[in-house]
Amino acid sequence: MSLRLGDIAPNFKAQTSTGEVDFHNWLGESWGVLFSHPADFTPVCTTELGTVSKLQEAFAKRNVKTIALSVDSVESHLEWIKDINETQNTEVTFPIIADPDFEVSKLYDMIHPNASDKFTVRSVFVIGNDKKIKLIITYPASTGRNFDELIRVIDSLQLTANYSVATPANWRNGEDVVIAPVIKDDEIAAKFPKGYTKIKSYLRTTPQPNL
Ligand code: BEZ
């Protein structure tokens, strides 16, 4: 059965480049990004893992841990990390799961047989600190991900988890947000003391409330 938003992220134990991980214990109180890539020693994946490595401070600021996965072995990951560090000018410290038996890949539906039955696609799962799945995105092997976009989405997810707002198209942290339709006009002053703009009865904006 495929996973859906709001499901508890299935727990697993796996060998990784930094030792054995029990996923839920490893997450602890943090949010998590679990992302698969097709294979070690491939060009796009090398740039992706280098990029995630360089964004570690941005993820940590948001209380987010990252963990990668491919069907290669721990030994392969450790050798490849040397190349990533060298070519991407970084130091990969987050774990890469070794999934040669497809156990985690199948649990998270990361093998899409019409793309390949041997390698994982580029899946991304964002998991909240309640262990629930907040976001699922799938990219094909040929398209490297935009991890700045992932940070942008995490900002939206963390904001909307705490306030009755939603974020409009192309929103960036710091910009005005949309007041949730369930909030009545006469409740707005108490909830959003910075004021609001009513464009339509269903379209009301307010300054980002957590700034
Ligand atoms: C890559 O990471 O460069 C890649 C991996 C599998 C297929 C195509 C590209």
Side-chain angles (χ1 to χ4, degrees):
M1 198 181 76
S2 59
L3 294 169
R4 296 194 172 152
L5 300 187
D7 290 351
I8 295 285
N11 197 24
F12 58 83
K13 284 195 173 83
Q15 298 301 324
T16 80
S17 55
T18 60
E20 189 178 88
V21 159
D22 174 297
F23 187 50
H24 282 190
N25 285 347
W26 175 82
L27 281 169
E29 301 297 311
S30 300
W31 286 58
V33 173
L34 168 64
F35 66 107
S36 58
H37 58 275
D40 296 355
F41 299 103
T42 51
V44 176
C45 302
T46 301
T47 62
E48 285 194 328
L49 270 76
T51 300
V52 172
S53 178
K54 288 181 196 163
L55 286 172
Q56 284 304 299
E57 208 178 301
F59 283 117
K61 199 173 128 196
R62 292 160 174 83
N63 189 30
V64 179
K65 292 180 174 177
T66 63
I67 188 162
L69 175 150
S70 81
V71 299
D72 300 289
S73 65
V74 168
E75 294 70 32
S76 166
H77 290 339
L78 293 174
E79 277 307 304
W80 182 42
I81 285 170
K82 293 179 195 166
D83 282 5
I84 301 170
N85 292 347
E86 178 196 327
T87 62
Q88 307 303 304
N89 195 24
T90 188
E91 195 179 331
V92 172
T93 55
F94 61 89
I96 309 176
I97 296 166
D99 195 34
D101 298 326
F102 301 87
E103 282 176 21
V104 182
S105 317
K106 285 186 179 157
L107 194 58
Y108 278 82
D109 201 19
M110 292 164 164
I111 302 279
H112 294 204
N114 289 330
S116 167
D117 57 5
K118 292 192 177 58
F119 304 110
T120 44
V121 290
R122 297 188 198 279
S123 298
V124 185
F125 292 86
V126 176
I127 295 147
N129 54 0
D130 55 4
K131 310 278 187 297
K132 290 186 180 167
I133 296 173
K134 307 296 181 187
L135 178 86
I136 303 172
I137 325 180
T138 308
Y139 294 70
S142 51
T143 302
R145 286 161 281 203
N146 183 332
F147 290 96
D148 293 333
E149 163 64 1
L150 193 56
I151 298 269
R152 188 194 76 85
V153 175
I154 288 168
D155 283 340
S156 171
L157 290 169
Q158 294 186 338
L159 177 69
T160 58
N162 292 314
Y163 295 90
S164 301
V165 297
T167 59
N170 292 347
W171 172 85
R172 299 201 74 84
N173 201 14
E175 294 177 357
D176 287 359
V177 298
V178 168
I179 297 171
V182 293
I183 306 298
K184 298 190 177 71
D185 281 354
D186 61 8
E187 297 169 333
I188 290 179
K191 282 188 179 289
F192 301 105
K194 293 178 184 167
Y196 76 110
T197 305
K198 188 171 181 175
I199 299 160
K200 290 280 180 190
S201 59
Y202 58 84
L203 178 54
R204 301 161 301 170
T205 62
T206 189
Q208 186 172 322
N210 64 340
L211 296 180

